[in-house]
Amino acid sequence: MRECGILLPIASLPSKYGIGAFSREAYEFVDQLKEAGQSYWQILPLGPTGYGDSPYQSFSAFAGNPYFIDLEQLTKDGFLTEEECRKADFGGDETSVDYEKIYNKRFPLLKTAFLRWKAHMEDANVDMEAVFERELIQETRNYCFYAALKRHFQEKSWILWDRDIRLCKREAVEKYKKLLAEEICFYEFQQLMFLRQWKKLKAYANKQGIRFIGDIPIYVAFDSADSWSHPELFQFDEENRPKAVAGCPPDAFSATGQLWGNPLYDWEYHKKTDYKWWMDRMQYCFGLYDVVRVDHFRGFDEYYAIPAKARTAVVGTWNKGPGIALFEKMREVFGEVNIIAEDLGFLTPSVYKLLEDTGFPGMKVLQFAFSTNERSSYLPYFYGHNCIVYTGTHDNDTTRGWYETMDEDERQFTEDYMDNKTTPANEISWDFIRLASSSTADLSVIPLQDYLCVGKEGRINTPSTLGGNWTWRMKRGQFTPEIIDRCRNLNAVYGRCRNKQAPEEEEQTPKEAKAVPEEAKQAPKGTKQMPD
């Protein structure tokens, strides 16, 4: 089946309070996707962001970002007032996110909401522990403990905490759980609200025929609940310090390579445990998303290991990853899985073999297609069906921004390829959208900025840079009915537009939507044990 979707991070939605959220605007965007004939909404990782505000450097692989909690819903529930929300200065403007102000203002509001919720639960004689136990998996609760500890230790990385709790000694764990019980409960409240609101949005989208493509990084951050609570999963020494870290070697784009700094997995240990942690992680993701895009797929075949004390990625070695064994176990546990393999970059024959053996669709990015040095495999005439075509991704410039900065030879190639010499600059992205839509790829996913013909100011992220990333937001009303109709009509021409049919029963508005059924709130069960 030929289908289409739009890529837009949750944070990039318009909203009243400084950052996109699971608010009315998210439901409105679902309705717009339906009107535009789309089948998918692709988003970025939903985890709580760490330093640099990157969703790919999260404090947990099993938790949600509290920035996305809809404050208006908390107001409707009686846990905040409109005046309290209005008085908070979230900074930025309708086109950008000011993460520093979001951090400083959101948490006090969430704390106020938590205290009122807690008092409400106590007045109603509801067992909060039972609620958390029922609706949050243990790994999520491990994150809440970690987050409370991190606040206790002035937000320092866990490697700088007191040695007993840094090493998760049992007596220290028990001591701090008692000492920080209220703060742990606060973080559990955040995760509860996140999960309930997300499940509600996803249920609404699915009923409208829109499925979510989620995104998971292959690696976790070093300063995360994952590496702190499960050091045995990683290549750590006896003091839980990394022996080697992740990155990629020098190439044409970087003379010293890329030093990511993420801890590397001890794949031998994972194999001995039948990849249990990975099964838990994927079960959590399959509970959140309809399709999961796995970032840096190459790392499952071979990964680049850099000595932990190295200052660049020049010195490193390639080592074998788990290969097909991990994905065979996945199929054994889950059956057929909806996974997209992020297979971009330089790929070896063994990576191509792994992709073929899994059967997962890979990615084709048009911005990589028009090199004049060689005929790129990203040119549409090389495509099969089992792939997803993008004009660009969150790591690329917008198509208009990219086109305006191309060298003359490459631009000439695109003009010869598409015969579009007369297309004005503010329309050029539509030529590439048409090229993607007309390709043989089963699925075409276009960043919203390209439908809006936004220039370089709409770029989401510039890899290997700090600051100024992840901030772009769509203006309220920017995705106009005229653009939506044009989007729908173009995809209809190329057989990708799903039929716009009324749902079987009248949909409720988000304001009136019923609570998510109890079974829909249940998260997959994870591991139940903290390390000693």
Side-chain angles (χ1 to χ4, degrees):
M1 182 182 295
R2 291 171 62 77
E3 295 179 297
C4 55
I6 288 179
L7 168 61
L8 181 73
I10 296 293
S12 296
L13 288 165
S15 76
K16 292 171 64 174
Y17 301 124
I19 191 170
F22 305 146
S23 59
R24 175 170 291 275
E25 291 83 358
Y27 290 83
E28 291 172 350
F29 187 63
V30 168
D31 294 340
Q32 290 174 322
L33 289 170
K34 181 181 177 182
E35 286 293 317
Q38 306 294 299
S39 297
Y40 290 95
W41 178 359
Q42 181 168 335
I43 59 176
L44 301 187
L46 289 177
T49 50
Y51 307 108
D53 309 307
S54 170
Y56 293 89
Q57 292 288 342
S58 176
F59 287 131
S60 173
F62 295 88
N65 192 337
Y67 294 166
F68 299 154
I69 296 172
D70 179 22
L71 300 182
E72 290 181 282
Q73 185 61 55
L74 294 182
T75 300
K76 292 170 188 172
D77 293 339
F79 304 134
L80 290 174
T81 68
E82 290 184 11
E83 184 179 8
E84 288 169 334
C85 295
R86 189 170 56 250
K87 283 184 176 180
D89 178 13
F90 295 107
D93 55 33
E94 66 173 354
T95 65
S96 64
V97 179
D98 185 330
Y99 283 101
E100 182 178 2
K101 287 191 174 180
I102 292 289
Y103 176 83
N104 288 328
K105 299 299 181 180
R106 276 236 167 198
F107 284 106
L109 278 173
L110 291 174
K111 191 64 170 285
T112 298
F114 160 67
L115 293 174
R116 289 174 184 155
W117 174 83
K118 184 171 178 282
H120 169 75
M121 298 290 277
E122 290 171 346
D123 289 345
N125 201 28
V126 176
D127 185 348
M128 289 183 292
E129 175 62 26
V131 172
F132 294 141
E133 177 68 23
R134 184 177 67 246
E135 298 194 41
L136 303 179
I137 63 171
Q138 188 57 45
E139 290 293 354
T140 304
R141 302 189 75 183
N142 283 354
Y143 159 75
C144 295
F145 182 30
Y146 155 88
L149 282 164
K150 192 169 178 62
R151 177 60 63 92
H152 176 77
F153 287 105
Q154 294 81 49
E155 303 298 341
K156 294 177 183 176
S157 169
W158 63 264
I159 200 68
L160 301 175
W161 297 352
D162 293 347
R163 188 175 185 274
D164 57 351
I165 191 62
R166 172 166 64 82
L167 298 179
C168 290
K169 297 296 185 181
R170 187 178 299 278
E171 289 184 1
V173 167
E174 293 174 357
K175 166 190 162 184
Y176 282 104
K177 279 190 173 180
K178 291 178 182 177
L179 178 66
L180 302 176
E182 179 87 353
E183 193 73 3
I184 295 169
C185 191
F186 171 44
Y187 284 101
E188 290 179 326
F189 162 79
Q190 294 177 43
Q191 291 305 306
L192 187 70
M193 294 301 105
F194 170 91
L195 192 60
R196 286 178 173 178
Q197 290 189 7
W198 169 252
K199 293 287 187 181
K200 192 174 179 181
L201 173 61
K202 182 176 181 295
Y204 180 83
N206 288 168
K207 199 163 189 181
Q208 299 300 316
I210 304 300
R211 288 160 285 175
F212 279 99
I213 299 176
D215 195 340
I216 68 168
I218 182 176
Y219 295 121
V220 302
F222 175 67
D223 188 12
S224 68
D226 311 295
S227 60
W228 166 69
S229 63
H230 292 293
E232 70 280 4
L233 301 177
F234 305 96
Q235 296 180 28
F236 288 168
D237 63 20
E238 63 279 359
E239 288 294 315
N240 292 351
R241 299 179 188 277
K243 299 176 184 177
V245 295
C248 63
D251 56 22
F253 301 100
S254 174
T256 59
Q258 295 181 36
L259 182 59
W260 301 336
N262 303 79
L264 295 168
Y265 297 110
D266 182 343
W267 285 116
E268 282 302 313
Y269 178 86
H270 285 269
K271 182 178 179 181
K272 290 176 184 176
T273 61
D274 229 5
Y275 303 103
K276 182 182 185 306
W277 182 86
W278 270 97
M279 297 308 104
D280 289 343
R281 185 182 187 188
M282 296 309 297
Q283 187 174 24
Y284 174 77
C285 291
F286 291 141
L288 290 181
Y289 314 119
D290 300 294
V291 181
V292 176
R293 190 196 86 128
V294 179
D295 197 42
H296 194 56
F297 184 77
R298 180 185 181 178
F300 294 106
D301 175 59
E302 288 185 316
Y303 63 91
Y304 192 64
I306 304 161
K309 293 182 179 180
R311 295 193 175 187
T312 73
V314 171
V315 179
T317 57
W318 286 102
N319 299 279
K320 291 300 295 180
I324 193 63
L326 174 65
F327 301 106
E328 288 176 339
K329 184 63 183 179
M330 225 174 269
R331 283 206 170 94
E332 178 186 325
V333 173
F334 303 112
E336 289 303 312
V337 290
N338 292 321
I339 286 178
I340 295 171
E342 189 275 288
D343 59 340
L344 305 177
F346 177 76
L347 303 182
T348 62
S350 59
V351 181
Y352 285 116
K353 178 69 164 56
L354 179 60
L355 188 64
E356 180 182 356
D357 289 346
T358 63
F360 299 152
M363 294 174 57
K364 307 295 183 182
V365 179
L366 289 180
Q367 287 191 30
F368 299 155
F370 295 97
S371 169
T372 54
N373 295 327
E374 58 183 11
R375 283 295 183 259
S376 169
S377 62
Y378 295 108
L379 284 166
Y381 62 72
F382 284 115
Y383 299 176
H385 293 281
N386 189 34
C387 60
I388 292 85
V389 59
Y390 297 79
T391 48
T393 74
H394 62 276
D395 282 335
N396 293 105
D397 201 344
T398 65
T399 293
R400 180 177 174 181
W402 162 73
Y403 187 82
E404 289 175 345
T405 57
M406 290 176 75
D407 67 40
E408 284 304 315
D409 288 343
E410 291 181 350
R411 182 176 297 182
Q412 183 64 51
F413 184 16
T414 66
E415 291 176 354
D416 292 342
Y417 194 93
M418 295 189 290
D419 192 21
N420 66 347
K421 293 180 176 64
T422 60
T423 303
N426 63 354
E427 284 281 308
I428 198 68
S429 60
W430 282 93
D431 287 351
F432 290 91
I433 293 170
R434 181 178 295 276
L435 185 61
S437 299
S438 65
S439 75
T440 58
D442 286 338
L443 175 60
S444 168
V445 177
I446 309 298
L448 183 67
Q449 297 95 308
D450 288 348
Y451 279 120
L452 303 180
C453 299
V454 174
K456 62 182 180 180
E457 70 277 8
R459 183 166 190 161
I460 295 291
N461 178 55
T462 303
S464 301
T465 65
L466 287 175
N469 295 317
W470 320 107
T471 65
W472 181 82
R473 298 176 71 197
M474 171 177 63
K475 293 180 183 177
R476 197 178 300 276
Q478 194 173 6
F479 196 27
T480 64
E482 292 75 19
I483 296 174
I484 290 170
D485 285 346
R486 187 176 180 185
C487 170
R488 178 180 183 83
N489 292 338
L490 184 145
N491 280 290
V493 166
Y494 294 109
R496 295 188 181 277
C497 190
R498 97 184 153 76
N499 293 329
K500 184 170 60 174
Q501 297 176 340
E504 293 180 2
E505 56 186 78
E506 187 66 22
E507 294 295 342
Q508 296 170 315
T509 65
K511 183 178 180 180
E512 299 167 336
K514 296 178 182 177
V516 179
E518 197 62 43
E519 61 271 18
K521 296 178 183 177
Q522 297 294 327
K525 297 299 180 186
T527 178
K528 290 284 184 181
Q529 188 172 356
M530 287 284 293
D532 291 332

